[in-house]
Amino acid sequence: MSKKTKVVLYILLTIVAVYFLAPFIYMLLTTFKTEGEAIAYPPSLFPEEWHFENYIEAWTSQPFGTYFLNSVIVTVLTTAGTVLSSSLVAYGFARFKFRGKNILFMILLATMMIPWDVTMIPQYMEFNLFGWINTLLPLIVPTWFGSAYNIFLMRQFLMGIPKDYEEAARLDGANSFQIYWKIFMPILKPCLIMVGVLNMLTVWNDYLGPLIFLQDRTKYTLALGLASFKGVHTTAIIPMLCITVIMIIPPIIVFIFAQKYIVEGTSGSIK
């Protein structure tokens, strides 16, 4: 590819990036405006005066600190559960031979065709029987039993690893769990990070799950707290935008630092 072609390509990519980032940039700048400036026509890009206190007022208007902490707890624990359980099951399907393995794997994949809406009521009844309603447990515990899509993804990754690795480890006296933990987990790092980031984005923005299982406002996650905040402040544009900006910052930061591993995890490359 010639230098001129690269320059043209970079210019086009920059234009496309600006096009997609423009709404977010406008929203970010609007958070520093007054309500009058936000609804003024024609709209202005930059505020006349920068009101940084808008974020403090919006954050303290409701217990968003509690909502944020609940979201962090749920996101961290579900991500850890998804990564560990899915990788362990994928390791079993990829590296072990046992009777009925293919049938069990097909059944596992078939569960991906069942929408969550179908299992929502049975899950609610089950968690209600356990006494878990209005706690964070219904949002955390199921993820420690694996995810069909993540298991499939990691299994495909593991099947591309030569058997020489585990054979050499077995000659050194390593058992199956040691091979999984010390050999395959480091190799799976790009795939694990990709699964973790995708799970983090899903759980962080989850609204329906907390809405169903949580009743006490002190248990709300940030997504549910933001939704209830919008219901109260339907005409207050600035506070809603401030909380929205705060909510999308963590996923953006995580994605920026993990994008290289996401590409490696998707391609299934082994270094």
Side-chain angles (χ1 to χ4, degrees):
M1 185 181 295
S2 62
K3 291 185 178 180
K4 292 184 178 179
T5 305
K6 287 185 178 180
V7 170
V8 173
L9 182 60
Y10 287 147
I11 292 174
L12 291 176
L13 291 175
T14 303
I15 293 173
V16 173
V18 170
Y19 173 79
F20 283 104
L21 288 174
F24 173 75
I25 294 173
Y26 181 76
M27 178 183 69
L28 180 62
L29 294 174
T30 302
T31 60
F32 300 104
K33 299 178 182 179
T34 61
E35 290 286 343
E37 289 181 271
I39 62 176
Y41 186 84
S44 59
L45 181 60
F46 295 98
E48 295 181 3
E49 294 184 6
W50 295 79
H51 296 274
F52 296 95
E53 69 276 7
N54 290 343
Y55 282 89
I56 300 176
E57 294 175 359
W59 187 259
T60 56
S61 62
Q62 286 195 18
F64 281 107
T66 302
Y67 301 161
F68 183 83
L69 179 61
N70 291 337
S71 289
V72 171
I73 293 173
V74 172
T75 302
V76 170
L77 292 181
T78 56
T79 301
T82 298
V83 168
L84 291 174
S85 59
S86 298
S87 61
L88 187 60
V89 176
Y91 170 64
F93 275 118
R95 314 304 290 194
F96 286 89
K97 294 181 180 180
F98 53 90
R99 183 177 300 177
K101 181 177 75 171
N102 293 332
I103 296 176
L104 288 175
F105 188 68
M106 292 300 296
I107 294 174
L108 175 69
L109 294 181
T111 61
M112 296 173 60
M113 297 185 291
I114 304 176
W116 189 75
D117 305 42
V118 175
T119 62
M120 179 174 57
I121 295 177
Q123 280 188 353
Y124 183 89
M125 296 173 64
E126 179 183 2
F127 295 141
N128 186 48
L129 183 65
F130 293 160
W132 290 358
I133 299 301
N134 200 30
T135 69
L136 299 179
L137 292 176
L139 304 176
I140 298 172
V141 174
T143 61
W144 286 82
F145 292 89
S147 166
Y149 173 74
N150 295 331
I151 292 171
F152 168 76
L153 196 66
M154 294 183 186
R155 173 184 176 271
Q156 298 304 111
F157 193 100
L158 286 169
M159 290 184 67
I161 300 176
K163 293 185 178 181
D164 299 343
Y165 288 89
E166 54 190 316
E167 290 176 355
R170 290 192 187 278
L171 289 175
D172 290 336
N175 57 37
S176 297
F177 184 79
Q178 289 174 329
I179 294 173
Y180 156 74
W181 187 255
K182 296 183 179 181
I183 304 298
F184 289 119
M185 285 295 276
I187 296 176
L188 269 174
K189 181 180 177 181
C191 192
L192 295 176
I193 293 178
M194 183 188 70
V195 168
V197 170
L198 294 178
N199 180 81
M200 181 263 181
L201 295 176
T202 301
V203 174
W204 185 264
N205 297 309
D206 184 25
Y207 167 74
L208 188 56
L211 178 66
I212 293 172
F213 299 121
L214 303 179
Q215 300 167 357
D216 189 354
R217 296 182 68 89
T218 59
K219 302 292 195 306
Y220 279 10
T221 59
L222 195 57
L224 187 57
L226 177 60
S228 64
F229 182 74
K230 288 181 178 179
V232 176
H233 298 79
T234 53
T235 58
I237 299 175
I238 301 301
M240 288 190 298
L241 292 181
C242 290
I243 301 301
T244 302
V245 169
I246 293 174
M247 184 174 177
I248 64 179
I249 287 176
I252 291 176
I253 294 175
V254 171
F255 181 80
I256 289 175
F257 285 100
Q259 58 181 335
K260 180 183 73 172
Y261 298 102
I262 293 175
V263 174
E264 291 181 8
T266 305
S267 62
S269 59
I270 303 175
K271 294 183 179 180

